[in-house]
Amino acid sequence: MDSSPHILVVDDHRDIRDLVAKYLTRHGLRVSTAEGGAAMKRLLKASAVDLVVLDVMMPGEDGLSLCRHLRETTDLPVILLTAMAEETDRVIGLEIGADDYVTKPFNPRELLARIKAVLRRAQSLPPQRGAAPSGRLRFGPWTFDPARRELLDVEGTAVPLSTAEFQLLGAFLAHPKRVLSRDQLLDLTQGRAAKVFDRSIDNQVSRLRRKIEADPKKPALIKTVWGGGYTLAAEVEPS
């Protein structure tokens, strides 16, 4: 069985579909094509796909609607094809969960490079990509209650968490004692909804440490792994 990545190209222009399919196939990828949303959904039901290349400007159900559908129903990486002048579409696409975009007219070599980069990032993620804990968990002196979005200390007093802090702590608790890179943390918490600099994760970790560490300057729970990222060093148990 062919184990090379399977790419689905969705574009209403046949010449673009054929051009992309031939180029990607020549470079070792398996490729299926679809002219619109209905064909895309049929192909996704019929075969396993590793990444979707999705044109934004299509008649009927456009690429942004289809991207939103993919984010709600699958965990597939999505690269958008957008018109050069449509910056708004690119921003909206990233906000609703696209992993990357390429502007038309594009060089197939650039598209191939972006596909490989997105696949590398997706494959490097730990299992249960984006999954958050569903029940109460205890780690160190803390209890995390995702249903109530609360962090409780030993006395049961709730410590408020921002949305970003809640998502970040949930990612750590879902993957305890595993080194998570900044890119992985961005994927697990934000799904690449925006192009965020690495330092934003550093800042979020710093803010979270100030709330959960006895000494934020010498963290015992969320530790830095130099050159790697961060890891939750504490044992995690159901509460």
Side-chain angles (χ1 to χ4, degrees), residues 145-172:
D145 188 340
R148 295 188 176 183
R149 299 177 68 92
E150 287 183 343
L151 180 64
L152 308 173
D153 65 15
V154 290
E155 297 178 350
T157 302
V159 175
L161 295 174
S162 69
T163 297
E165 291 164 351
F166 173 82
Q167 293 173 337
L168 183 61
L169 182 55
F172 280 123

PDB file of all heavy atoms in Angstrom, residues 145-172:
ATOM      1  N   ASP A 145     -10.802  22.116  36.865  1.00  0.00           N
ATOM      2  CA  ASP A 145     -12.175  21.727  36.545  1.00  0.00           C
ATOM      3  C   ASP A 145     -12.542  22.332  35.187  1.00  0.00           C
ATOM      4  O   ASP A 145     -12.972  23.490  35.106  1.00  0.00           O
ATOM      5  CB  ASP A 145     -13.138  22.225  37.622  1.00  0.00           C
ATOM      6  CG  ASP A 145     -14.554  21.685  37.440  1.00  0.00           C
ATOM      7  OD1 ASP A 145     -14.877  21.259  36.313  1.00  0.00           O
ATOM      8  OD2 ASP A 145     -15.319  21.689  38.409  1.00  0.00           O
ATOM      9  N   PRO A 146     -12.378  21.581  34.084  1.00  0.00           N
ATOM     10  CA  PRO A 146     -12.636  22.154  32.758  1.00  0.00           C
ATOM     11  C   PRO A 146     -14.102  22.482  32.519  1.00  0.00           C
ATOM     12  O   PRO A 146     -14.419  23.403  31.777  1.00  0.00           O
ATOM     13  CB  PRO A 146     -12.148  21.062  31.799  1.00  0.00           C
ATOM     14  CG  PRO A 146     -12.189  19.803  32.586  1.00  0.00           C
ATOM     15  CD  PRO A 146     -11.897  20.194  34.000  1.00  0.00           C
ATOM     16  N   ALA A 147     -15.011  21.733  33.142  1.00  0.00           N
ATOM     17  CA  ALA A 147     -16.434  21.989  32.932  1.00  0.00           C
ATOM     18  C   ALA A 147     -16.816  23.371  33.449  1.00  0.00           C
ATOM     19  O   ALA A 147     -17.617  24.087  32.829  1.00  0.00           O
ATOM     20  CB  ALA A 147     -17.273  20.915  33.612  1.00  0.00           C
ATOM     21  N   ARG A 148     -16.246  23.747  34.591  1.00  0.00           N
ATOM     22  CA  ARG A 148     -16.526  25.060  35.164  1.00  0.00           C
ATOM     23  C   ARG A 148     -15.470  26.092  34.798  1.00  0.00           C
ATOM     24  O   ARG A 148     -15.559  27.242  35.222  1.00  0.00           O
ATOM     25  CB  ARG A 148     -16.615  24.954  36.691  1.00  0.00           C
ATOM     26  CG  ARG A 148     -17.788  24.113  37.177  1.00  0.00           C
ATOM     27  CD  ARG A 148     -17.928  24.200  38.675  1.00  0.00           C
ATOM     28  NE  ARG A 148     -19.100  23.484  39.158  1.00  0.00           N
ATOM     29  CZ  ARG A 148     -19.493  23.455  40.430  1.00  0.00           C
ATOM     30  NH1 ARG A 148     -18.783  24.117  41.344  1.00  0.00           N
ATOM     31  NH2 ARG A 148     -20.555  22.781  40.769  1.00  0.00           N
ATOM     32  N   ARG A 149     -14.455  25.646  34.035  1.00  0.00           N
ATOM     33  CA  ARG A 149     -13.355  26.518  33.643  1.00  0.00           C
ATOM     34  C   ARG A 149     -12.708  27.159  34.872  1.00  0.00           C
ATOM     35  O   ARG A 149     -12.452  28.363  34.905  1.00  0.00           O
ATOM     36  CB  ARG A 149     -13.830  27.593  32.665  1.00  0.00           C
ATOM     37  CG  ARG A 149     -14.394  27.022  31.366  1.00  0.00           C
ATOM     38  CD  ARG A 149     -14.912  28.110  30.459  1.00  0.00           C
ATOM     39  NE  ARG A 149     -13.840  28.935  29.940  1.00  0.00           N
ATOM     40  CZ  ARG A 149     -13.215  28.713  28.786  1.00  0.00           C
ATOM     41  NH1 ARG A 149     -13.557  27.677  28.046  1.00  0.00           N
ATOM     42  NH2 ARG A 149     -12.261  29.517  28.373  1.00  0.00           N
ATOM     43  N   GLU A 150     -12.451  26.320  35.893  1.00  0.00           N
ATOM     44  CA  GLU A 150     -11.896  26.817  37.146  1.00  0.00           C
ATOM     45  C   GLU A 150     -10.609  26.082  37.501  1.00  0.00           C
ATOM     46  O   GLU A 150     -10.435  24.907  37.205  1.00  0.00           O
ATOM     47  CB  GLU A 150     -12.891  26.619  38.292  1.00  0.00           C
ATOM     48  CG  GLU A 150     -14.078  27.560  38.266  1.00  0.00           C
ATOM     49  CD  GLU A 150     -14.997  27.367  39.456  1.00  0.00           C
ATOM     50  OE1 GLU A 150     -14.900  26.310  40.123  1.00  0.00           O
ATOM     51  OE2 GLU A 150     -15.811  28.251  39.706  1.00  0.00           O
ATOM     52  N   LEU A 151      -9.745  26.797  38.185  1.00  0.00           N
ATOM     53  CA  LEU A 151      -8.548  26.238  38.802  1.00  0.00           C
ATOM     54  C   LEU A 151      -8.688  26.464  40.303  1.00  0.00           C
ATOM     55  O   LEU A 151      -8.844  27.603  40.753  1.00  0.00           O
ATOM     56  CB  LEU A 151      -7.295  26.931  38.271  1.00  0.00           C
ATOM     57  CG  LEU A 151      -5.967  26.434  38.828  1.00  0.00           C
ATOM     58  CD1 LEU A 151      -5.718  24.983  38.426  1.00  0.00           C
ATOM     59  CD2 LEU A 151      -4.816  27.324  38.343  1.00  0.00           C
ATOM     60  N   LEU A 152      -8.662  25.366  41.073  1.00  0.00           N
ATOM     61  CA  LEU A 152      -8.914  25.452  42.512  1.00  0.00           C
ATOM     62  C   LEU A 152      -7.646  25.142  43.302  1.00  0.00           C
ATOM     63  O   LEU A 152      -6.916  24.190  42.964  1.00  0.00           O
ATOM     64  CB  LEU A 152     -10.009  24.456  42.917  1.00  0.00           C
ATOM     65  CG  LEU A 152     -11.315  24.520  42.116  1.00  0.00           C
ATOM     66  CD1 LEU A 152     -12.236  23.371  42.507  1.00  0.00           C
ATOM     67  CD2 LEU A 152     -12.008  25.854  42.339  1.00  0.00           C
ATOM     68  N   ASP A 153      -7.397  25.930  44.353  1.00  0.00           N
ATOM     69  CA  ASP A 153      -6.240  25.650  45.201  1.00  0.00           C
ATOM     70  C   ASP A 153      -6.623  24.603  46.252  1.00  0.00           C
ATOM     71  O   ASP A 153      -7.733  24.055  46.236  1.00  0.00           O
ATOM     72  CB  ASP A 153      -5.702  26.937  45.831  1.00  0.00           C
ATOM     73  CG  ASP A 153      -6.688  27.596  46.794  1.00  0.00           C
ATOM     74  OD1 ASP A 153      -7.675  26.945  47.199  1.00  0.00           O
ATOM     75  OD2 ASP A 153      -6.466  28.775  47.132  1.00  0.00           O
ATOM     76  N   VAL A 154      -5.720  24.297  47.178  1.00  0.00           N
ATOM     77  CA  VAL A 154      -5.951  23.222  48.153  1.00  0.00           C
ATOM     78  C   VAL A 154      -7.143  23.515  49.054  1.00  0.00           C
ATOM     79  O   VAL A 154      -7.741  22.592  49.619  1.00  0.00           O
ATOM     80  CB  VAL A 154      -4.687  22.983  49.000  1.00  0.00           C
ATOM     81  CG1 VAL A 154      -3.594  22.360  48.158  1.00  0.00           C
ATOM     82  CG2 VAL A 154      -4.201  24.272  49.652  1.00  0.00           C
ATOM     83  N   GLU A 155      -7.491  24.780  49.197  1.00  0.00           N
ATOM     84  CA  GLU A 155      -8.619  25.149  50.049  1.00  0.00           C
ATOM     85  C   GLU A 155      -9.922  25.256  49.258  1.00  0.00           C
ATOM     86  O   GLU A 155     -10.959  25.601  49.829  1.00  0.00           O
ATOM     87  CB  GLU A 155      -8.316  26.475  50.762  1.00  0.00           C
ATOM     88  CG  GLU A 155      -7.115  26.389  51.704  1.00  0.00           C
ATOM     89  CD  GLU A 155      -6.807  27.718  52.353  1.00  0.00           C
ATOM     90  OE1 GLU A 155      -7.401  28.731  51.917  1.00  0.00           O
ATOM     91  OE2 GLU A 155      -5.990  27.753  53.278  1.00  0.00           O
ATOM     92  N   GLY A 156      -9.856  24.972  47.953  1.00  0.00           N
ATOM     93  CA  GLY A 156     -11.056  25.027  47.140  1.00  0.00           C
ATOM     94  C   GLY A 156     -11.384  26.411  46.620  1.00  0.00           C
ATOM     95  O   GLY A 156     -12.462  26.634  46.062  1.00  0.00           O
ATOM     96  N   THR A 157     -10.452  27.346  46.767  1.00  0.00           N
ATOM     97  CA  THR A 157     -10.661  28.705  46.261  1.00  0.00           C
ATOM     98  C   THR A 157     -10.320  28.749  44.772  1.00  0.00           C
ATOM     99  O   THR A 157      -9.265  28.257  44.351  1.00  0.00           O
ATOM    100  CB  THR A 157      -9.777  29.707  47.017  1.00  0.00           C
ATOM    101  OG1 THR A 157     -10.074  29.633  48.421  1.00  0.00           O
ATOM    102  CG2 THR A 157     -10.037  31.127  46.519  1.00  0.00           C
ATOM    103  N   ALA A 158     -11.215  29.323  43.996  1.00  0.00           N
ATOM    104  CA  ALA A 158     -11.034  29.378  42.547  1.00  0.00           C
ATOM    105  C   ALA A 158     -10.057  30.489  42.169  1.00  0.00           C
ATOM    106  O   ALA A 158     -10.138  31.612  42.683  1.00  0.00           O
ATOM    107  CB  ALA A 158     -12.367  29.604  41.855  1.00  0.00           C
ATOM    108  N   VAL A 159      -9.143  30.169  41.298  1.00  0.00           N
ATOM    109  CA  VAL A 159      -8.199  31.141  40.752  1.00  0.00           C
ATOM    110  C   VAL A 159      -8.629  31.435  39.316  1.00  0.00           C
ATOM    111  O   VAL A 159      -8.730  30.511  38.500  1.00  0.00           O
ATOM    112  CB  VAL A 159      -6.760  30.594  40.770  1.00  0.00           C
ATOM    113  CG1 VAL A 159      -5.807  31.559  40.087  1.00  0.00           C
ATOM    114  CG2 VAL A 159      -6.321  30.309  42.203  1.00  0.00           C
ATOM    115  N   PRO A 160      -8.935  32.685  38.983  1.00  0.00           N
ATOM    116  CA  PRO A 160      -9.418  32.994  37.633  1.00  0.00           C
ATOM    117  C   PRO A 160      -8.343  32.756  36.574  1.00  0.00           C
ATOM    118  O   PRO A 160      -7.165  33.051  36.794  1.00  0.00           O
ATOM    119  CB  PRO A 160      -9.795  34.477  37.725  1.00  0.00           C
ATOM    120  CG  PRO A 160      -8.985  35.024  38.857  1.00  0.00           C
ATOM    121  CD  PRO A 160      -8.843  33.889  39.826  1.00  0.00           C
ATOM    122  N   LEU A 161      -8.775  32.215  35.449  1.00  0.00           N
ATOM    123  CA  LEU A 161      -7.892  31.994  34.304  1.00  0.00           C
ATOM    124  C   LEU A 161      -8.460  32.700  33.089  1.00  0.00           C
ATOM    125  O   LEU A 161      -9.674  32.643  32.842  1.00  0.00           O
ATOM    126  CB  LEU A 161      -7.766  30.496  33.998  1.00  0.00           C
ATOM    127  CG  LEU A 161      -7.101  29.595  35.034  1.00  0.00           C
ATOM    128  CD1 LEU A 161      -7.219  28.144  34.594  1.00  0.00           C
ATOM    129  CD2 LEU A 161      -5.648  29.978  35.239  1.00  0.00           C
ATOM    130  N   SER A 162      -7.596  33.353  32.338  1.00  0.00           N
ATOM    131  CA  SER A 162      -8.030  33.903  31.057  1.00  0.00           C
ATOM    132  C   SER A 162      -8.281  32.747  30.093  1.00  0.00           C
ATOM    133  O   SER A 162      -7.885  31.602  30.348  1.00  0.00           O
ATOM    134  CB  SER A 162      -6.968  34.841  30.476  1.00  0.00           C
ATOM    135  OG  SER A 162      -5.819  34.099  30.087  1.00  0.00           O
ATOM    136  N   THR A 163      -8.935  33.038  28.966  1.00  0.00           N
ATOM    137  CA  THR A 163      -9.180  31.989  27.970  1.00  0.00           C
ATOM    138  C   THR A 163      -7.869  31.370  27.497  1.00  0.00           C
ATOM    139  O   THR A 163      -7.746  30.140  27.377  1.00  0.00           O
ATOM    140  CB  THR A 163      -9.954  32.561  26.775  1.00  0.00           C
ATOM    141  OG1 THR A 163     -11.234  33.019  27.222  1.00  0.00           O
ATOM    142  CG2 THR A 163     -10.154  31.495  25.696  1.00  0.00           C
ATOM    143  N   ALA A 164      -6.870  32.209  27.229  1.00  0.00           N
ATOM    144  CA  ALA A 164      -5.576  31.708  26.763  1.00  0.00           C
ATOM    145  C   ALA A 164      -4.910  30.833  27.818  1.00  0.00           C
ATOM    146  O   ALA A 164      -4.340  29.778  27.506  1.00  0.00           O
ATOM    147  CB  ALA A 164      -4.665  32.873  26.388  1.00  0.00           C
ATOM    148  N   GLU A 165      -4.980  31.246  29.093  1.00  0.00           N
ATOM    149  CA  GLU A 165      -4.384  30.462  30.173  1.00  0.00           C
ATOM    150  C   GLU A 165      -5.114  29.133  30.363  1.00  0.00           C
ATOM    151  O   GLU A 165      -4.486  28.094  30.589  1.00  0.00           O
ATOM    152  CB  GLU A 165      -4.405  31.269  31.467  1.00  0.00           C
ATOM    153  CG  GLU A 165      -3.464  32.473  31.452  1.00  0.00           C
ATOM    154  CD  GLU A 165      -3.767  33.474  32.543  1.00  0.00           C
ATOM    155  OE1 GLU A 165      -4.816  33.330  33.226  1.00  0.00           O
ATOM    156  OE2 GLU A 165      -2.973  34.421  32.720  1.00  0.00           O
ATOM    157  N   PHE A 166      -6.432  29.165  30.257  1.00  0.00           N
ATOM    158  CA  PHE A 166      -7.245  27.950  30.368  1.00  0.00           C
ATOM    159  C   PHE A 166      -6.872  26.942  29.277  1.00  0.00           C
ATOM    160  O   PHE A 166      -6.683  25.760  29.541  1.00  0.00           O
ATOM    161  CB  PHE A 166      -8.723  28.322  30.285  1.00  0.00           C
ATOM    162  CG  PHE A 166      -9.654  27.146  30.208  1.00  0.00           C
ATOM    163  CD1 PHE A 166     -10.038  26.466  31.353  1.00  0.00           C
ATOM    164  CD2 PHE A 166     -10.158  26.727  28.983  1.00  0.00           C
ATOM    165  CE1 PHE A 166     -10.899  25.368  31.281  1.00  0.00           C
ATOM    166  CE2 PHE A 166     -11.018  25.643  28.891  1.00  0.00           C
ATOM    167  CZ  PHE A 166     -11.391  24.958  30.051  1.00  0.00           C
ATOM    168  N   GLN A 167      -6.754  27.427  28.035  1.00  0.00           N
ATOM    169  CA  GLN A 167      -6.408  26.542  26.921  1.00  0.00           C
ATOM    170  C   GLN A 167      -4.997  25.995  27.061  1.00  0.00           C
ATOM    171  O   GLN A 167      -4.740  24.820  26.782  1.00  0.00           O
ATOM    172  CB  GLN A 167      -6.570  27.290  25.598  1.00  0.00           C
ATOM    173  CG  GLN A 167      -8.013  27.635  25.272  1.00  0.00           C
ATOM    174  CD  GLN A 167      -8.131  28.523  24.048  1.00  0.00           C
ATOM    175  OE1 GLN A 167      -7.184  29.228  23.685  1.00  0.00           O
ATOM    176  NE2 GLN A 167      -9.291  28.516  23.409  1.00  0.00           N
ATOM    177  N   LEU A 168      -4.079  26.846  27.498  1.00  0.00           N
ATOM    178  CA  LEU A 168      -2.695  26.417  27.649  1.00  0.00           C
ATOM    179  C   LEU A 168      -2.562  25.370  28.747  1.00  0.00           C
ATOM    180  O   LEU A 168      -1.903  24.332  28.555  1.00  0.00           O
ATOM    181  CB  LEU A 168      -1.814  27.627  27.958  1.00  0.00           C
ATOM    182  CG  LEU A 168      -0.311  27.367  28.088  1.00  0.00           C
ATOM    183  CD1 LEU A 168       0.254  26.808  26.789  1.00  0.00           C
ATOM    184  CD2 LEU A 168       0.416  28.660  28.474  1.00  0.00           C
ATOM    185  N   LEU A 169      -3.186  25.600  29.887  1.00  0.00           N
ATOM    186  CA  LEU A 169      -3.123  24.630  30.977  1.00  0.00           C
ATOM    187  C   LEU A 169      -3.783  23.318  30.557  1.00  0.00           C
ATOM    188  O   LEU A 169      -3.287  22.230  30.866  1.00  0.00           O
ATOM    189  CB  LEU A 169      -3.792  25.197  32.229  1.00  0.00           C
ATOM    190  CG  LEU A 169      -3.753  24.306  33.478  1.00  0.00           C
ATOM    191  CD1 LEU A 169      -2.327  23.918  33.826  1.00  0.00           C
ATOM    192  CD2 LEU A 169      -4.427  25.012  34.653  1.00  0.00           C
ATOM    193  N   GLY A 170      -4.896  23.403  29.823  1.00  0.00           N
ATOM    194  CA  GLY A 170      -5.559  22.196  29.334  1.00  0.00           C
ATOM    195  C   GLY A 170      -4.652  21.384  28.426  1.00  0.00           C
ATOM    196  O   GLY A 170      -4.640  20.151  28.483  1.00  0.00           O
ATOM    197  N   ALA A 171      -3.881  22.075  27.579  1.00  0.00           N
ATOM    198  CA  ALA A 171      -2.950  21.370  26.691  1.00  0.00           C
ATOM    199  C   ALA A 171      -1.869  20.647  27.490  1.00  0.00           C
ATOM    200  O   ALA A 171      -1.515  19.494  27.196  1.00  0.00           O
ATOM    201  CB  ALA A 171      -2.321  22.358  25.720  1.00  0.00           C
ATOM    202  N   PHE A 172      -1.330  21.307  28.497  1.00  0.00           N
ATOM    203  CA  PHE A 172      -0.311  20.664  29.328  1.00  0.00           C
ATOM    204  C   PHE A 172      -0.883  19.452  30.068  1.00  0.00           C
ATOM    205  O   PHE A 172      -0.245  18.399  30.157  1.00  0.00           O
ATOM    206  CB  PHE A 172       0.262  21.664  30.337  1.00  0.00           C
ATOM    207  CG  PHE A 172       1.300  22.583  29.778  1.00  0.00           C
ATOM    208  CD1 PHE A 172       1.136  23.968  29.854  1.00  0.00           C
ATOM    209  CD2 PHE A 172       2.448  22.082  29.185  1.00  0.00           C
ATOM    210  CE1 PHE A 172       2.095  24.827  29.342  1.00  0.00           C
ATOM    211  CE2 PHE A 172       3.417  22.931  28.669  1.00  0.00           C
ATOM    212  CZ  PHE A 172       3.233  24.307  28.744  1.00  0.00           C
TER     213      PHE A 172
END
